[in-house]
Amino acid sequence: MSTNWRISSFSGALLAAYFIPTWTIIAFRIMVSPIHGLYERPSVAVALFVSDYLQLTATATIRAAWLLALGRLTVAAFFAIFLAFLARPSIRKSGGPDEALGMALAIGGLISFASMVMASRVGEVAAMRLHATELLMLLGTAIVLQIERQVESRVERMALSRPEQGAASCAAASGASTLQQPQLLNHG
């Protein structure tokens, strides 16, 4: 098995290890008992916001709870697809898992941000901390993923514009975004 893992792949795998079981359990609790599941700790801010500010009927609250559960399951599914793509070295090296990871980060970030804002509006400090932490984890991986894409595109442009330098210099430049090749400073 190849050890050529990019930093965003490693970070995404760690996020998947958290979000898949956690958000799946939360979503299934909401699906089994929508009102009770919505008022549990991970979703209480959304429940209080819906009841205090939107003043929805019981049926509309159940639909909102199921929509939240569907969003959480969608994020867990994209992380699972990301892990499946990550398991294949040929797909991992070509950057194939990036799209699934990007979708999981985007949808998860949107849900976490909306939940954080709702928690701040209803005064749920513990829920706000939880959603802010999840949002920061997702944003950190999104930033790393974006920086790696920029580095890779810059390396590809260098390879196309300067073919005389050869593949060795381009390979050394692209190694900056992997965990396989450490970069040491030259103090001399």
Side-chain angles (χ1 to χ4, degrees), residues 116-127:
M116 182 185 68
V117 169
M118 290 178 200
S120 92
R121 295 288 296 171
V122 297
E124 280 292 322
V125 177

Side-chain angles (χ1 to χ4, degrees), residues 46-59:
V46 176
L48 292 175
F49 185 83
V50 165
S51 66
D52 291 351
Y53 288 97
L54 301 180
Q55 299 172 351
L56 298 178
T57 63
T59 305

